Amino acid sequence: MKNINWRLASNHLILLIGVLFMSLPVWVAFATSTHTAETILREGLQFWPGSNFIETYREVMFEEAGVMKSVLGITMLKNSLILGIGFAVGKVIISMLAAYAIVYFRFRLATPLFWIIFLTLLLPLEVRIIPSYEIVAGLGLLDTNFGLIVPLIASATGTFYFRQFFKSIPDELLEAARLDGASPWRFFVDMLIPLSKTMIAAILIIMFVVGWNQYLWPLIMTTKEENYTLVIGIKQIYQILSEGGELPQYQKAFALTIMATLPPVLVVLFFQNWFVKGLVESEK
Amino acid sequence: MKRVQFEHSTIPYLFIAPQIAIIAIFFIWPAGQAIHQSFLLEDAFGLSSQFVWFRNYVDTIGDAAWIQAAWFTTIFSALVTFLSLGIALLLAVKANEVIRGASTYKTTLMWAYAIAPPVAGLMGNLMFHPLIGDLYKFFNAIGWEFNHKLDSFDAGFVVVLIAVWKQVSVNFIFFLSGLQGISKAVNEAAMMDCKSPTRRFWTITFPLLAPTTFFLMVINITYAFFETFGIIDTTTGGAPGGSTNTLVYKVFQDGFRGADLGGSSAQSVVLMIIVLALTIIQFRFIERKVHY
Amino acid sequence: MKKLIMKTILAAGIAAIAMPVTAKTELQWWHAMGGRLGEVVDEIATNYNASQSEYEIIPTYKGGYEDTMTAGIAAFRAKQQPHVLQIFDAGAATIINAPGATIPVADLMAEHGKGFNSNDYIEGVRNFYADSAGKMIGMPFNSSTPLLYYNKDAFAAAGVTNPPATWEEFEAIAPKLKAAGYTALAQSHSPWILSENFHSRHNIQLSTGNNGYDSTDVKILYNNDHMKMHWGKMKEWLDAGHYGFFGRAWGDNQDAFVQKKVAMWMGSSGSFGGLKKSTDFEFGTTFLPYWKSIIDEPKSTFIGGAALFAMSGKSDAEYKGVADFFAYMTNNENQVFWHKETGYVPITTAAYEMAKAEGYYNESPDAEIGILQLSQPGGEWTKGYRLGYYVQIREVMYKKYDDIFSGKSSVEKAFSEMESESNALLERFAATYK
């Protein structure tokens, strides 16, 4: 009896420490953001919320000089949303189509094309960042949503998820459909897509988070402040803090981190089950 | 495995076309461009360029700063991978064992997945800030003369800590799923054979988790190599003295800040080769040892 | 019916006359002035556009100095370059050496009938963006120079009356400040303040080839006894608690001064505006200290900041507009306006005289110190430097200084490595233009 209690207690202890380790920084970030800059400079980071919550967040969201010269927090929020949703939707559509072709068709270039797609998994954007920038600049796509979202879709993660999933669908389904004389398009739309609903939801959620959190690519190819996403705003406010010259606005920096984190976190928590399922089931 | 498939000539091409088009324009073309540029010594404006064979590569690999970045990237990736895998595994095992509060633990441990690396970086940076950071004060208070602006070990410590923190969530999710996927029958049989839970874990559970672990290793190394760019950019920026520069950060610095296109292209190509080699090694050697 | 037709024709005629016949020629201006500075830039642009009807200048903020240069470079390669591009000191060699990337401002102005005489410009300003013959290629825009700021309250508490003019004096007063609870000094840019301008102030040659103006085939000369002596002292002072190093970020070191951790801070001549707002103590401004043991009469420093370059590849009509805009920017009123609003120095002597006549420096004596320092007699090596891959060289310098401070490397070793790594970079750059 005693043994089990001891073990159980230590389990909970370890878990609690883990939870604290993971959550405390964000709590402190939030609490500190609700104080004034002067308080923070005087006393350091805060553990308890202060009274400046509305003031800070209002300034960051709605005031032009809230974070940077001409862009409002709420504009950056909008840009992040466009990026997250655009990326997720684009990825799902393109990957489903490509995966469908690979799995359900026998065609001559299938193998080489498959390997080309696979190659993109091995070489993330960071490795070809500067030529990608030049190409996008050359196409006149800098500072556009198209230029922001489409190059990110070039990696094959989504295609592989769907390929895995399609392969797990029993052959009988296709046989039956062919017997009925269904065209490939019909089969895709009427049978495959409805079957994939959960998968689609899961991938949409994962890709929304991935898209929202994009950093390096948006950093490079948005040059006008009004196109910044929240995550880029983080970099800018970091630069402003490093450049000095005025009273450092730590509370706004923290408020921005909270704002940049909240939507994807909410999405992940809300759709927890789908999200975990999608993440785990698509494991290679 | 024999698959039932359609036999059509044009339709599959249509379906796969968008993906291939995007890959061609935004992956193959830039990659080719990087390779091409790595053999040139060009002025930034593209007005004069000469073909210099492997000069950029020689300059790169011989450059002390590059070697330092390569070294740091290796140590950094190893540390981040092992630490975040270790912590996540521990938490997952415990979370799998407790019954009460299991789902709460699960939720609170996994949501950090949604935080972007640069955001985590900025938060961490401010918490280590000499003027307001409690962690800075804490470490100094317990006798560690902590100054990550000056000391490269301390700076490395900060970057590793933040990177590990961010990555524990992903590993946790996968480990927990893996653990929950081990069938009850196996667990019961193990319990009969082996009384000590610790031994049970190491001889039975852990080997069964091998596929998950392997998969996570690949993910973690990729993360440490590339995605930590965001963390470094909002914390140390490679300082002090370039000691927290990763290879990918250096590519960015030389190409984007220093306008040295030939040099940074060569570095990109070298990085591509390293990643490819690592992936091949992982798949060939390690996967063989993993039993499904 | 006839009446109606007449009326219509009359109305159309009036409308045609009332409508502008030609749209304004648009001129694109890419800059790196964020925050308050960007607001002033926009104001100048608006005023210019309102002052005439032929040209419209459109300023766009492209990020920091490096980002703006990168954006400009990428745009140029894609043949979409702006008309005017702001390039900073470390990027000067890149843009000036690129064959035909820009139209030298001296030529541009002369061609379009706007008088241009480089002697109109203040000594320390004139040469940085000029070629070795003295022809100005870039138009200095936001120019500043390093200065020493000191906390008057701290000085009083420590019993120190005057800020140090020399480093020898500094060594004498540092212990007193320490006794009063202050670290004596911090500074925000080791390369700019304590390397490049160190060389200028002491009139020491920075690189071969006339400080890099004459050719790209040059070697750096930082590895000299004076620098090593000074940096040996910096490390000594760090260890003795007389110098505080708060990382390489500009703001962190400035904050230390504002937060009264250090009694003196070396920053930019443009910093006094921000300091006025954020400090709760009285501070003074003075010239950059020098070593009496190296030089008796210190020379002027040179400018940092950035210049505006006219990018090539545009039409003659557009260049007429760019010249017109440059003339507008450099007229006295606008320079004084820019100077007062941002703290950057006026670049022509005439504008400086105008500000003096207005009595500006009576109310704001701090604002004049930078100009005074830039107007001090020049020497052989005070015009600036022109070195390629200088952004990377600065990285090497930061790295070696970090190593000196942390004790990882001796001064001797650090400078020797700095020399060889910088020269490797310079060699690459030179090879690009062979």
Side-chain angles (χ1 to χ4, degrees):
Chain A
M1 234 12 227
K2 237 186 177 169
N3 265 346
I4 300 178
N5 275 343
W6 167 240
R7 187 173 177 77
L8 198 64
S10 78
N11 280 356
H12 279 281
L13 185 65
I14 294 180
L15 284 169
L16 274 172
I17 295 180
V19 170
L20 272 179
F21 175 62
M22 297 306 289
S23 315
L24 203 56
V26 182
W27 169 252
V28 170
F30 172 70
T32 312
S33 72
T34 58
H35 288 260
T36 61
E38 291 83 4
T39 319
I40 303 175
L41 272 168
R42 237 196 347 262
E43 300 169 23
L45 299 176
Q46 301 288 325
F47 278 86
W48 307 110
S51 48
N52 218 36
F53 173 75
I54 298 187
E55 189 61 30
T56 307
Y57 282 86
R58 190 186 56 80
E59 280 177 26
V60 170
M61 292 269 271
F62 299 112
E63 262 184 29
E64 277 208 341
V67 177
M68 281 157 277
K69 184 177 65 133
S70 62
V71 71
L72 309 175
I74 203 155
T75 313
M76 293 195 283
L77 186 78
K78 174 185 72 120
N79 289 332
S80 287
L81 272 173
I82 295 178
L83 174 57
I85 296 178
F87 176 74
V89 171
K91 203 112 201 269
V92 167
I93 295 178
I94 297 207
S95 335
M96 273 193 85
L97 291 174
Y100 181 53
I102 293 174
V103 173
Y104 281 99
F105 289 83
R106 188 164 28 230
F107 57 105
R108 209 152 6 134
L109 289 178
T111 319
L113 286 180
F114 171 74
W115 281 107
I116 291 179
I117 298 180
F118 180 70
L119 200 62
T120 66
L121 277 180
L122 301 176
L123 299 174
L125 180 69
E126 285 80 358
V127 149
R128 48 191 155 94
I129 193 81
I130 288 159
S132 299
Y133 173 77
E134 288 185 351
I135 288 170
V136 168
L139 291 172
L141 290 174
L142 285 182
D143 281 309
T144 61
N145 280 323
F146 188 85
L148 181 60
I149 297 176
V150 174
L152 290 171
I153 304 187
S155 96
T157 40
T159 312
F160 270 75
Y161 290 160
F162 281 110
R163 173 176 173 266
Q164 205 70 4
F165 177 68
F166 287 162
K167 277 174 110 169
S168 73
I169 295 180
D171 278 355
E172 292 74 40
L173 206 62
L174 180 54
E175 278 173 11
R178 287 175 84 189
L179 278 175
D180 281 347
S183 74
W185 180 247
R186 286 277 97 201
F187 178 67
F188 185 64
V189 169
D190 291 340
M191 306 224 65
L192 222 49
I193 291 186
L195 267 179
S196 319
K197 265 207 282 242
T198 332
M199 195 65 185
I200 293 179
I203 301 294
L204 272 175
I205 290 161
I206 297 176
M207 289 305 164
F208 173 77
V209 174
V210 170
W212 177 284
N213 284 342
Q214 279 302 309
Y215 179 63
L216 184 54
W217 180 242
L219 180 67
I220 293 186
M221 56 80 64
T222 54
T223 54
K224 296 203 192 124
E225 286 187 334
E226 65 241 17
N227 292 324
Y228 284 164
T229 61
L230 277 174
V231 175
I232 304 306
I234 297 287
K235 170 64 188 272
Q236 297 309 113
I237 210 170
Y238 163 76
Q239 249 174 342
I240 292 178
L241 287 177
S242 333
E243 271 163 31
E246 288 166 8
L247 199 63
Q249 302 284 310
Y250 295 116
Q251 87 282 16
K252 287 193 196 163
F254 278 123
L256 201 65
T257 59
I258 298 293
M259 272 176 66
T261 304
L262 211 52
V265 165
L266 285 177
V267 163
V268 162
L269 288 180
F270 218 58
F271 299 106
Q272 213 184 116
N273 292 323
W274 273 341
F275 160 71
V276 172
K277 182 168 189 239
L279 201 60
V280 169
E281 215 141 289
S282 42
E283 169 192 339
K284 280 295 261 78
Chain B
M1 204 183 351
K2 179 88 174 52
R3 266 217 80 81
V4 179
Q5 287 176 320
F6 284 106
E7 304 253 8
H8 274 249
S9 44
T10 48
I11 298 209
Y13 290 107
L14 279 177
F15 273 68
I16 207 173
Q19 171 114 67
I20 296 292
I22 296 182
I23 290 182
I25 303 177
F26 295 107
F27 182 86
I28 299 187
W29 187 4
Q33 188 89 306
I35 298 178
H36 171 67
Q37 272 181 340
S38 71
F39 291 111
L40 299 176
L41 206 53
E42 266 190 302
D43 85 289
F45 288 89
L47 294 165
S48 75
S49 77
Q50 358 157 3
F51 191 72
V52 286
W53 287 104
F54 288 96
R55 187 205 168 116
N56 287 330
Y57 289 95
V58 172
D59 283 350
T60 293
I61 314 247
D63 180 20
W66 188 87
I67 296 176
Q68 181 185 41
W71 196 228
F72 178 72
T73 309
T74 312
I75 300 180
F76 177 71
S77 310
L79 275 175
V80 169
T81 303
F82 285 119
L83 284 175
S84 65
L85 279 179
I87 297 178
L89 183 58
L90 176 65
L91 289 172
V93 166
K94 297 304 169 192
N96 196 32
E97 277 183 23
V98 301
I99 306 173
R100 214 155 18 129
S103 63
T104 321
Y105 282 129
K106 188 173 158 206
T107 311
T108 49
L109 285 173
M110 92 165 179
W111 65 268
Y113 167 83
I115 301 187
V119 177
L122 186 63
M123 280 187 193
N125 188 18
L126 291 175
M127 291 184 190
F128 276 101
H129 197 284
L131 281 179
I132 63 166
D134 282 357
L135 286 177
Y136 185 84
K137 294 178 195 157
F138 170 70
F139 282 113
N140 273 306
I142 60 172
W144 176 356
E145 243 187 270
F146 190 85
N147 186 354
H148 60 296
K149 306 273 187 191
L150 201 51
D151 184 83
S152 51
F153 180 81
D154 296 348
F157 175 80
V158 169
V159 180
V160 168
L161 183 65
I162 300 178
V164 166
W165 182 83
K166 160 96 182 81
Q167 193 64 347
V168 163
S169 282
V170 179
N171 296 333
F172 171 78
I173 297 173
F174 277 94
F175 273 136
L176 191 59
S177 277
L179 283 170
Q180 287 172 342
I182 296 176
S183 79
K184 277 217 139 158
V186 172
N187 271 330
E188 281 167 8
M191 250 188 272
M192 284 197 294
D193 281 345
C194 200
K195 287 295 170 193
S196 146
T198 326
R199 247 187 83 196
R200 230 184 4 246
F201 177 74
W202 288 110
T203 51
I204 303 193
T205 321
F206 190 68
L208 280 175
L209 276 181
T212 312
T213 313
F214 170 68
F215 169 73
L216 284 178
M217 262 180 71
V218 175
I219 300 266
N220 274 266
I221 293 184
T222 312
Y223 165 77
F225 256 73
F226 297 111
E227 285 173 63
T228 49
F229 179 92
I231 296 181
I232 296 179
D233 208 23
T234 54
T235 53
T236 60
S243 59
T244 52
N245 250 352
T246 54
L247 287 173
V248 74
Y249 200 74
K250 194 164 187 311
V251 166
F252 174 75
Q253 266 188 336
D254 285 348
F256 234 77
R257 297 268 128 101
D260 177 5
L261 296 166
S264 90
S265 302
Q267 287 175 49
S268 296
V269 174
V270 172
L271 196 53
M272 276 191 232
I273 296 176
I274 293 179
V275 173
L276 270 165
L278 271 175
T279 317
I280 294 177
I281 293 176
Q282 280 178 324
F283 274 82
R284 280 288 147 86
F285 294 107
I286 302 185
E287 205 193 11
R288 275 213 201 120
K289 293 195 184 160
V290 165
H291 305 285
Y292 278 88
Chain C
M1 194 52 195
K2 232 186 181 171
K3 241 187 175 174
L4 186 59
I5 297 177
M6 285 296 292
K7 271 196 187 160
T8 318
I9 295 178
L10 194 58
I14 294 177
I17 296 171
M19 264 200 299
V21 176
T22 37
K24 281 179 155 188
T25 313
E26 273 186 16
L27 306 170
Q28 297 289 343
W29 177 21
W30 290 5
H31 66 89
M33 307 276 85
R36 167 82 192 124
L37 298 172
E39 286 171 20
V40 184
V41 162
D42 286 344
E43 226 183 301
I44 295 181
T46 315
N47 291 343
Y48 174 70
N49 294 336
S51 77
Q52 44 75 42
S53 57
E54 270 184 82
Y55 309 103
E56 179 163 354
I57 191 106
I58 304 178
T60 313
Y61 173 65
K62 286 298 198 184
Y65 285 137
E66 289 104 344
D67 292 336
T68 304
M69 180 163 90
T70 308
I73 289 174
F76 188 87
R77 293 169 78 102
K79 310 230 184 315
Q80 292 179 22
Q81 68 273 30
H83 298 79
V84 179
L85 183 63
Q86 183 188 21
I87 297 284
F88 64 133
D89 51 2
T94 306
I95 193 166
I96 293 181
N97 276 302
T102 68
I103 313 274
V105 65
D107 293 341
L108 178 82
M109 302 299 269
E111 255 173 57
H112 290 95
K114 315 276 180 190
F116 193 86
N117 185 349
S118 65
N119 285 320
D120 288 343
Y121 293 80
I122 299 180
E123 170 85 40
V125 167
R126 166 184 332 153
N127 284 306
F128 195 92
Y129 295 98
D131 65 17
S132 52
K135 176 161 87 164
M136 287 173 77
I137 317 282
M139 169 86 79
F141 175 49
N142 51 315
S143 310
S144 59
T145 203
L147 294 176
L148 180 70
Y149 294 91
Y150 60 101
N151 183 337
K152 287 187 178 164
D153 296 345
F155 271 40
V160 180
T161 33
N162 288 324
T166 64
W167 288 113
E168 285 92 349
E169 281 172 39
F170 170 78
E171 286 198 293
I173 65 172
K176 292 195 205 160
L177 288 164
K178 187 163 182 214
Y182 293 92
T183 306
L185 178 70
Q187 56 86 24
S188 278
H189 205 286
S190 301
W192 184 53
I193 302 178
L194 285 179
S195 314
E196 297 145 35
N197 278 290
F198 181 85
H199 277 251
S200 183
R201 198 107 175 90
H202 296 94
N203 203 17
I204 309 172
Q205 188 172 5
L206 205 156
S207 90
T208 60
N210 193 11
N211 267 9
Y213 279 86
D214 286 346
S215 106
T216 52
D217 209 346
V218 295
K219 294 209 182 311
I220 207 141
L221 296 171
Y222 277 138
N223 189 13
N224 61 64
D225 289 333
H226 300 304
M227 276 286 266
K228 284 189 274 198
M229 180 274 282
H230 180 77
W231 281 89
K233 286 282 182 183
M234 294 290 292
K235 169 71 173 150
E236 246 182 67
W237 295 334
L238 179 76
D239 291 338
H242 298 317
Y243 174 70
F245 181 60
F246 297 88
R248 69 182 253 186
W250 180 284
D252 289 340
N253 292 289
Q254 184 174 344
D255 284 342
F257 179 67
V258 172
Q259 299 304 320
K260 299 183 266 208
K261 290 195 162 48
V262 297
M264 289 184 277
W265 173 66
M266 291 192 288
S268 152
S269 57
S271 311
F272 74 88
L275 283 179
K276 269 223 164 50
K277 274 191 256 166
S278 55
T279 51
D280 60 2
F281 55 85
E282 227 201 308
F283 67 89
T285 319
T286 185
F287 301 132
L288 215 57
Y290 63 97
W291 287 102
K292 200 129 178 82
S293 60
I294 301 183
I295 193 167
D296 254 335
E297 303 259 347
K299 304 291 177 204
S300 74
T301 50
F302 49 70
I303 50 173
L308 299 183
F309 287 83
M311 305 303 288
S312 63
K314 301 291 179 191
S315 74
D316 211 48
E318 291 163 300
Y319 282 128
K320 194 148 172 287
V322 176
D324 191 58
F325 175 63
F326 278 359
Y328 178 82
M329 289 280 306
T330 51
N331 75 27
N332 293 341
E333 289 77 24
N334 281 312
Q335 276 197 56
V336 174
F337 173 67
W338 176 247
H339 169 52
K340 282 191 190 166
E341 292 298 316
T342 62
Y344 286 118
V345 305
I347 53 180
T348 57
T349 329
Y352 172 42
E353 295 297 327
M354 186 168 129
K356 251 201 279 196
E358 276 181 15
Y360 177 55
Y361 302 117
N362 295 333
E363 14 162 315
S364 212
D366 299 312
E368 202 183 2
I369 311 283
I371 307 170
L372 289 172
Q373 188 172 282
L374 284 168
S375 308
Q376 285 181 344
E380 223 189 323
W381 306 113
T382 58
K383 61 177 153 212
Y385 58 88
R386 179 81 30 85
L387 296 172
Y389 287 151
Y390 200 66
V391 172
Q392 287 95 315
I393 292 181
R394 274 184 171 168
E395 285 299 315
V396 172
M397 293 164 74
Y398 276 123
K399 188 151 55 115
K400 299 308 168 192
Y401 292 144
D402 280 345
D403 284 346
I404 293 178
F405 281 146
S406 65
K408 234 209 239 163
S409 169
S410 71
V411 173
E412 197 62 51
K413 181 159 166 278
F415 272 92
S416 149
E417 283 173 2
M418 189 193 296
E419 182 177 38
S420 52
E421 286 176 34
S422 304
N423 282 337
L425 284 162
L426 286 172
E427 220 227 302
R428 266 180 70 84
F429 190 76
T432 314
Y433 295 97
K434 284 223 170 46

